[in-house]
Amino acid sequence: MRKAFVYRYHTSYMIAVLTILSAMFGRGIHLVLFFLPLFMSYIFRLSGRVVLRKREGNIIAGIISIVFIPLFFSKDVFVMALYYLLGLLTLKLFVSFERKDYDHVTLLGFLAFSLSTVFLYSIWYMLLFLVFGTLIAFYLFLRIVPDYIEITGKSLNYIFGTFAIIMVFSLMLFFLLPRNPYMLFGMNVTQASGDFGELEVGGLAKDALSSRVLLRVKPPDKQNNFIYVRSRVFVSFDGAKWSSLENWETGVRSRVIISENPGMRTMRFRFFPAVRFRYVPLTEYPVLLLWEKGRFAFNRNLMEVRIEKRPVKMDYTVFSTPLPNIPLTVKMLPEYLEVPESVNRYLRNIINSISFSRDTLGSIIDFLRKNYKYGRFVPEMDTIPSIVEFLLYKKKGECTEFATAFVLLARMLGYRTRLVVGFLTKEFNPVGGYFIVREKDAHAWAEVFEKGKWVRYDPTPSGLFHVNLIAKIREYYDYVQYLWFTRVVEYSYRDQMHVALKIMPYYWKLRTVRAGKLAGYIIVALLLLSMIIYRLYAMLFISFHKKALRHFFRYMKKNGFVRNRGETLMEFAIRSGDKRAEEFVKEYYEVKYGGKSPEGLKRILKSF
Amino acid sequence: MKLKNLLNRPFDRVKITPLGRFFSVFTLFFGIATINSGNNLLYMILAYLLILLFASGILSTVNILFLHVQATGQEAIYKKRTGNIILKVSKGKIPGFFLYFCTDTGCAFLPVLTSRVALIKVPYKGKKRGIQTISDITVYSLFPFGFAKRWRNIRIDAKVIVFPAIDRDVNDEYVFRRYLQGEESSSKRGFDGEFRGLRRYKAGESLYHIHWKKSFKELNLKEFGTMEQDSLVFQLSQDPSEDDIDNVASMIHQWLKAGKSVGLFAEGRFFVPPSKGSTHEYNLMKRLALL
């Protein structure tokens, strides 16, 4: 009785622990605070001590309710409601613990687990799913087991083995369940990162320090050790802030297709759904964009792409070529020469100090790299624009400052220039054959309009981007993550159809006579093989007394006796009236249950 | 042969438990939410919930498949009282778990049933005296997750002898109470009553009761009275009513319980000489049941 109870206990305990884990992975450490009492109450219950009285419990419940009221007005109302319920349940566990509470813990644990799917997309979810699913099944099973039955180690193995098989089948079903290309009712997605409406000087590095993977870029052929991913283009600058062009919408088309380009290469992008961009990241310049779920707005003049309706999930293919000839004239781009007046005079002084060579833009870059250092820049002076502060006083800055300085200096010299924000990554995963773009890879550079196309100039000192020497294991882990995202998390109606269309030809081939016959032969051969294996197993691994029993049955059958259903061996032997048979059964029981050596049994068998 | 059995088996009957109902409805709503949101992680849970339902159906079907039940005997079953009938049950190669074997009046629980024979005692309440037929027995189980109660009736055609009632308030107070209070005396000699006197020892008698102090010249033996009572023989008329039989059975039960030897005589049918003990009682009751 005690043992079964302890198992029940551990189920709930484990569920609580897993809920904590899921919460920790998903929403941060603050959730632990809600589950800590749950933990403690279990520990106290295990030691058999009552922690709170009913009255004290009620008082604390009141306090919790008051504390939770402002929290209810936060973004995730349902999540907060769940935590509130969990908090109250925790209190109940403190005060008194009944068997019904296990049901509550399980149910709430399951709800928390389901909720965690909203924000927990990492591969850890899989582990959590396997453990949680097994525990739920075990809990449901324990509900029908009477308390007085002890569950021993061996039967536990069988139980968990069965549950493991159930889990495997559920994973198989996961791929078969029909996906829906449409949505019945939508949700507004409020979360959006990587959305730079404006960019302050010194602002890029401030926000982008984590090593969270944002996207993976899989180029058809790896040409360089690095890859630039464009995200957002800025044109006008007021001395401290960059902002995009106001008349952005001009020349917007829903879809642009330039076909028959011989130098076409495909860039395939994969997104982490946890992070959503307003602007589609691109490598170099897109020619054709294919995406099924939403629409892209494509500004051909600026070579910029923007999503019109922000989707929940993005998965698109970009066909990109070396820069095409664009019918764009210099006259069309007056705003790319604008320099704010507050900066103008300072820049003129700087230009005077630059020793220009034939390559004007190259000499600006050389000047910047020689006289300025790479490092953290924080604007402190209010009296002058921050870019001037960088150029004249601090002389130390990051990519945004270098790029801004370059853009402004180039504009002073009459070059049509703009600032591009995106990512520069050197992290290539050879296992999966893709570049990994992390949050900390955020970068800014300049683009200059030369001979009808935009050309990239990166003034930031090179070699300062650290190359990640990732361990081989980490590469594999990332590849597993990549597979998880592409094959599981983003598995869609389209993928399902793709697989089905791949399988169909084989199916039709099988339907023809020859293939059908072949399949038949294979099945028969497999059956025969399994029978042979079973026989071999029976010959090699079955103990002697079992073999002897088979021999005994054969002998009795020869004499015309067949054992009835429900008849014990002894009854059978007595019914036959054969004394040797009785002797055999006695000896058989001795060998089977008494641990006697089977020599007596052999002797009797010989006499048959 | 087994396949034939499988195809010809009687249909199982299923009743979904509240938990099962909750689980099904929950899965349905979960499914709608999943298909709407298109979240693959929710799809994963949905697949698991569906497989759990599916596994529940398959496992519970297999659980009560190929059951073989045979009635082998019974314990004493009195009228309007619950006694046990003994069933011999076995199953094919696939074991069964948490099986309940039920008659109309009670159930027996068997945690695990393998191909080995198991004997179980199923409670049965006899309504009428005499030979009763239990045509079928219900086997049910909540295995594996308690979502549904699946049951099946198995034909056993067991014949059970129901003894007459023994809980009658028999008007035997005078004799009975006197006996219990020890007021009755006996002239018989024995070794378990009061001391009565001495007599000479005869060869072959036990040495235990020799009075050694008074055995100087010759061996003397202590003599006692006996507790043993005169035996009773109940006589039934040729055509006894149901009430009479119940009364007699109740009296026999009470007297035998008090340690008296009791016999039974039914006119023109049988005579059972007086004796004691539970086997004797069983025999007498059986005779009365079959009258």
Side-chain angles (χ1 to χ4, degrees), chain A residues 564-600:
Chain A
N564 293 332
R565 288 211 64 171
E567 197 174 33
T568 59
L569 271 181
M570 204 45 160
E571 283 170 1
F572 177 46
I574 292 167
R575 185 161 62 86
S576 71
D578 191 343
K579 282 200 172 176
R580 276 185 303 178
E582 283 179 42
E583 206 180 318
F584 171 84
V585 174
K586 272 182 198 167
E587 194 69 23
Y588 170 76
Y589 282 138
E590 288 272 323
V591 173
K592 193 177 178 188
Y593 299 112
K596 202 177 166 184
S597 70
E599 295 200 353

Side-chain angles (χ1 to χ4, degrees), chain A residues 10-26 35 38-39 105 109-110 112-113 116 120 124-125 127-136:
Chain A
H10 279 260
T11 318
S12 315
Y13 184 59
M14 283 300 287
I15 286 166
V17 173
L18 283 170
T19 320
I20 293 164
L21 277 177
S22 76
M24 273 178 72
F25 277 117
F35 289 100
L38 194 71
F39 238 148
V105 171
F110 182 76
F113 173 66
S116 72
L120 186 66
W124 292 105
Y125 181 90
L127 194 74
L128 203 68
F129 170 73
L130 290 173
V131 177
F132 200 91
T134 314
L135 279 175
I136 284 268

Side-chain angles (χ1 to χ4, degrees), chain A residues 133 184 488-489 491 566 571, chain B residues 36 40-41 43-44 48 88 109:
Chain A
L184 294 174
V488 179
V489 176
Y491 183 73
E571 283 170 1
Chain B
N36 182 54
N40 274 321
L41 303 183
Y43 262 107
M44 233 157 141
Y48 174 66
K88 208 176 183 184
F109 177 68

Side-chain angles (χ1 to χ4, degrees), chain A residues 236-241 337-349 383-388 392 408 411-412:
Chain A
S236 60
F237 183 64
D238 68 345
K241 260 183 198 171
L337 287 167
E338 283 173 7
V339 178
E341 281 181 19
S342 55
V343 191
N344 212 329
R345 60 190 169 100
Y346 298 109
L347 289 179
R348 220 163 266 159
N349 292 337
T383 49
I384 48 167
S386 35
I387 188 66
V388 178
L392 296 181
L408 295 176
R411 279 182 185 186
M412 291 289 289

Side-chain angles (χ1 to χ4, degrees), chain A residues 42-172:
Chain A
Y42 274 114
I43 291 160
F44 279 125
R45 292 302 302 183
L46 283 177
S47 63
R49 280 160 57 194
V50 179
V51 181
L52 285 179
R53 281 181 209 156
K54 211 166 187 176
R55 198 180 155 195
E56 291 162 337
N58 286 339
I59 292 166
I60 296 177
I63 294 167
I64 284 184
S65 303
I66 293 163
V67 167
F68 263 86
I69 286 167
L71 288 175
F72 272 117
F73 294 103
S74 70
K75 277 179 191 171
D76 310 305
V77 179
F78 293 109
V79 179
M80 288 326 290
L82 184 75
Y83 297 149
Y84 177 64
L85 282 174
L86 281 170
L88 286 188
L89 176 76
T90 309
L91 258 176
K92 201 190 170 195
L93 298 183
F94 264 122
V95 180
S96 62
F97 199 93
E98 292 163 18
R99 212 156 139 186
K100 231 181 183 178
D101 296 328
Y102 294 114
D103 297 355
H104 295 171
V105 171
T106 317
L107 189 68
L108 286 171
F110 182 76
L111 279 174
F113 173 66
S114 302
L115 265 172
S116 72
T117 53
V118 178
F119 45 80
L120 186 66
Y121 282 91
S122 95
I123 187 82
W124 292 105
Y125 181 90
M126 184 75 185
L127 194 74
L128 203 68
F129 170 73
L130 290 173
V131 177
F132 200 91
T134 314
L135 279 175
I136 284 268
F138 187 47
Y139 172 74
L140 288 169
F141 173 71
L142 277 180
R143 277 176 69 96
I144 65 157
V145 182
D147 275 355
Y148 55 84
I149 290 177
E150 285 195 359
I151 298 170
T152 54
K154 203 179 175 185
S155 50
L156 260 184
N157 287 350
Y158 283 119
I159 290 163
F160 282 113
T162 315
F163 293 160
I165 291 167
I166 288 176
M167 296 301 294
V168 169
F169 273 104
S170 85
L171 288 179
M172 279 159 71

Side-chain angles (χ1 to χ4, degrees), chain B residues 186-243:
Chain B
S186 170
S187 58
K188 280 193 177 178
R189 287 164 193 181
F191 293 103
D192 47 359
E194 287 174 15
F195 179 71
R196 284 170 71 101
L198 294 172
R199 69 171 169 82
R200 281 185 67 180
Y201 175 76
K202 286 174 198 166
E205 282 182 322
S206 165
L207 299 176
Y208 186 77
H209 291 295
I210 291 175
H211 200 306
W212 293 106
K213 284 185 180 173
K214 299 263 170 105
S215 299
F216 180 62
K217 285 178 182 174
E218 51 188 6
L219 291 173
N220 280 319
L221 203 67
K222 284 185 267 185
E223 218 178 28
F224 298 89
T226 180
M227 301 286 280
E228 196 184 311
Q229 300 301 310
D230 297 333
S231 53
L232 274 167
V233 175
F234 289 94
Q235 187 177 353
L236 275 166
S237 60
Q238 259 191 347
D239 190 15
S241 69
E242 198 64 30
D243 263 14

